[in-house]
Amino acid sequence: MISYEFCGKPVRFTVEIYHDLVPYLGNISEKAFFLDADAAIAAWQKQIDFITSEFGDRLAPRAPSAAPLSYGHLVCLGAPLRYPDDAEPNISPAASSLEEAVAMLRDAQGMDFTKTPIFQTYAELSRRIREAFPDTAPRFAGLGLEGPITSAALFRGQDFYIDIIDDPELCAEYLRLMTDSIIAFRHQSNVFAGAPAVSPNGAGLADDLASMIPPALWDELVIPFWNQYYEGFTTGKSRSLHCEALVPAQLPYLSHAHITHYQPSVSPALTLENIRPGLAPDIPFDWLLYAYHVTEMTDAEIADWMDETLAAGVTNLRTQLGRYTVEAGKLDRIHAWYAAAERYRK
């Protein structure tokens, strides 16, 4: 494994493979990728062959699994799921009022998520894919979840943001119930996959729609439920957070949830200049060169971006490779990324 360093500190240059590359290389629809095990298996093999041939030891292929559905937990609860032919699956709100959302979650307390149709579908897809790739595919994967705020907003719809003004007390109860449900889903999924229900090491949280909550309401409507989430997921101290579209005024609140690593990803309001003053000094963050930016940059611009990012104290630099990169004939930009990283090879 190649090691890199900057000013004596180890640094990482990460290229993430976005899952839309798999059906593209397999010449199958997104719908088939999510529902057809045979088509998905063939597409995963093509991805493995393509990445290995193109990048050799520089970049590991993405490990095969059932296609990632971030809304799996909400579908189990009753959110309607749609499978477009050539786009990722998406859901619609399940509750027409805050009161109905609360009632649905109360009724769902104690439910066996593993008996729901979507869970059974993913169990079979995971079994088939693991059978084809026994050394790399997990026993159960793909059926995901969102964080408390994102889950609450998607399940209720955009009126959730009116609810928090009209009835903050009932919203807090709704968020507590939603977080309890998320935790129960994760416990059951972990056990089904052969892992401990509660991780002894740490937990990650993805909750992009928390960015829609005004900073003044975070201590009331965000932080308590993030802490509830982490406490239900792990007994460890590691708490990573992925939350896009934050603004500087929201950053100080991350320490209230004892975050140990922050991933801003696509957050246009945050810059290398304004992110560190808002974060507690003990919270490291990574920095993403957006997939739709790296493809339009020159070799010199990629190298300059790396230099500026490292100089700002970031030790994990990321970019992404997906369908667009290959379709647009821009793979040379990923090779340029690796070439620029070579300047920091240990």
Side-chain angles (χ1 to χ4, degrees), residues 261-265 275 284-288 314-318:
H261 183 269
Y262 170 47
Q263 186 172 85
S265 287
I275 186 171
F285 63 95
D286 58 42
W287 204 241
L288 175 66
V314 182
T315 58
N316 185 4
L317 287 66
R318 305 162 49 226

Side-chain angles (χ1 to χ4, degrees), residues 246-249 251 267-279 287:
L246 290 187
V247 298
L251 296 176
S267 296
L270 299 182
T271 67
L272 288 173
E273 292 71 32
N274 68 20
I275 186 171
R276 176 43 71 196
L279 279 178
W287 204 241

Side-chain angles (χ1 to χ4, degrees), residues 18-57:
Y18 195 68
H19 64 260
D20 71 348
L21 182 63
V22 180
Y24 173 73
L25 292 175
N27 195 30
I28 62 173
S29 68
E30 290 269 3
K31 186 175 182 179
F33 179 50
F34 277 83
L35 293 175
D36 186 330
D38 290 327
I41 288 167
W44 277 116
Q45 186 60 58
K46 289 185 178 180
Q47 181 262 165
I48 292 169
D49 295 342
F50 178 85
I51 294 297
T52 301
S53 173
E54 183 71 28
F55 294 101
D57 294 336

Side-chain angles (χ1 to χ4, degrees), residues 10-345:
V11 296
R12 288 191 294 166
F13 298 95
T14 303
V15 176
E16 299 162 349
I17 300 173
Y18 195 68
H19 64 260
D20 71 348
L21 182 63
V22 180
Y24 173 73
L25 292 175
N27 195 30
I28 62 173
S29 68
E30 290 269 3
K31 186 175 182 179
F33 179 50
F34 277 83
L35 293 175
D36 186 330
D38 290 327
I41 288 167
W44 277 116
Q45 186 60 58
K46 289 185 178 180
Q47 181 262 165
I48 292 169
D49 295 342
F50 178 85
I51 294 297
T52 301
S53 173
E54 183 71 28
F55 294 101
D57 294 336
R58 282 193 181 274
L59 178 61
R62 182 164 174 149
S65 72
L69 178 65
S70 299
Y71 317 121
H73 162 247
L74 296 178
V75 176
C76 289
L77 289 176
L81 176 64
R82 299 183 303 277
Y83 287 100
D85 285 335
D86 208 22
E88 292 187 21
N90 52 76
I91 59 171
S92 300
S96 60
S97 70
L98 179 59
E99 291 76 12
E100 183 183 12
V102 168
M104 291 176 72
L105 288 176
R106 285 175 177 161
D107 289 343
Q109 288 178 314
M111 74 177 290
D112 186 345
F113 289 98
T114 70
K115 301 300 184 185
T116 60
I118 189 67
F119 201 104
Q120 290 293 307
T121 294
Y122 265 77
E124 177 59 15
L125 287 168
S126 293
R127 184 192 69 78
R128 290 287 314 283
I129 292 170
R130 182 174 172 81
E131 188 177 68
F133 303 99
D135 295 331
T136 52
R139 177 176 168 182
F140 178 77
L143 195 65
L145 54 86
E146 294 283 356
I149 313 305
T150 302
S151 295
L154 293 174
F155 197 67
R156 169 74 179 96
Q158 62 185 4
D159 286 345
F160 170 72
Y161 299 107
I162 304 299
D163 296 336
I164 66 174
I165 304 300
D166 288 347
D167 198 340
E169 289 187 7
L170 190 58
C171 267
E173 173 65 4
Y174 173 43
L175 286 164
R176 183 190 68 78
L177 289 165
M178 180 61 78
T179 309
D180 275 344
S181 181
I182 294 168
I183 292 168
F185 174 82
R186 173 46 57 90
H187 289 178
Q188 292 181 32
S189 298
N190 284 352
V191 171
F192 191 89
V198 178
S199 169
N201 303 314
L205 165 63
D207 208 2
D208 290 340
L209 294 185
S211 64
M212 299 289 288
I213 305 296
L217 295 178
W218 269 50
D219 274 337
E220 178 184 352
L221 291 176
V222 177
I223 300 304
F225 309 104
W226 281 6
N227 280 323
Q228 179 187 349
Y229 172 101
Y230 284 118
E231 289 161 10
F233 270 50
T234 184
T235 55
K237 294 183 178 180
S238 176
R239 295 184 173 194
S240 63
L241 170 69
H242 171 100
C243 189
E244 299 189 357
L246 290 187
V247 298
Q250 292 165 323
L251 296 176
Y253 292 92
L254 302 193
S255 61
H256 299 190
H258 311 290
I259 301 303
T260 59
H261 183 269
Y262 170 47
Q263 186 172 85
S265 287
V266 183
S267 296
L270 299 182
T271 67
L272 288 173
E273 292 71 32
N274 68 20
I275 186 171
R276 176 43 71 196
L279 279 178
D282 60 342
I283 301 179
F285 63 95
D286 58 42
W287 204 241
L288 175 66
L289 180 53
Y290 305 157
Y292 50 88
H293 283 170
V294 69
T295 50
E296 304 306 319
M297 295 168 70
T298 66
D299 292 9
E301 288 170 338
I302 292 171
D304 288 346
W305 182 92
M306 286 184 175
D307 296 344
E308 293 167 5
T309 304
L310 290 168
V314 182
T315 58
N316 185 4
L317 287 66
R318 305 162 49 226
T319 195
Q320 295 171 330
L321 161 64
R323 171 178 179 165
Y324 172 75
T325 311
V326 178
E327 199 170 32
K330 296 288 188 175
L331 278 170
D332 64 322
R333 298 300 81 211
I334 305 302
H335 288 289
W337 166 275
Y338 283 118
E342 278 295 309
R343 297 171 302 144
Y344 297 99
R345 188 165 183 163

